[in-house]
Amino acid sequence: MNYPLLKMNKEGTLLRPQHTYYSDEYAHAMCDLHLSDVVIEDDKGKLKLRYRLHAKHPHTIEGAMAYSILCPKCHHHLKQVGRSLSYHDLGLYACPFCDKI
């Protein structure tokens, strides 16, 4: 699933995801910033849901870390748990609240 991100403050650093049925190609072409679902397996073999931040325009590592993103499920703040892959495929995020459930 892809989640376009809406800016919630004047600075544009607080981001709220929207639920959509956008394809990967459409989200990459149309959204300045969006999250995509990533399922990973932890060291105990349990599947975990993570979110990858994607940017239409290139971002530096410092620029990408300036964002505060809300969880698409529970709306708590996401925590960055993985580094950027490129200037467009940015950090990997997890929800500490959803992981406890």
Side-chain angles (χ1 to χ4, degrees):
M1 171 144 310
N2 292 295
Y3 307 93
L5 296 169
L6 296 176
K7 296 176 182 177
M8 299 301 296
N9 62 358
K10 186 170 64 171
E11 298 81 19
T13 55
L14 178 60
L15 304 173
R16 181 176 55 96
Q18 288 184 302
H19 292 274
T20 66
Y21 293 101
Y22 291 170
S23 68
D24 291 340
E25 296 81 15
Y26 187 82
H28 284 292
M30 300 305 293
C31 304
D32 286 338
L33 292 167
H34 74 279
L35 292 176
S36 63
D37 287 343
V38 178
V39 178
I40 63 164
E41 188 175 345
D42 67 9
D43 54 347
K44 297 175 185 173
K46 189 174 180 183
L47 296 178
K48 298 279 188 171
L49 180 61
R50 300 291 181 253
Y51 303 97
R52 175 71 64 188
L53 177 61
H54 302 279
K56 186 175 185 177
H57 305 287
H59 280 60
T60 63
I61 293 172
E62 294 81 20
M65 293 188 70
Y67 297 118
S68 180
I69 305 169
L70 302 178
C71 177
K73 289 187 174 186
C74 71
H75 304 293
H76 283 81
H77 288 271
L78 295 177
K79 178 181 176 183
Q80 188 169 351
V81 295
R83 63 185 183 92
S84 297
L85 300 176
S86 69
Y87 292 113
H88 297 278
D89 298 321
L90 307 175
L92 187 66
Y93 291 82
C95 179
F97 184 79
C98 290
D99 278 353
K100 289 181 184 178
I101 298 174

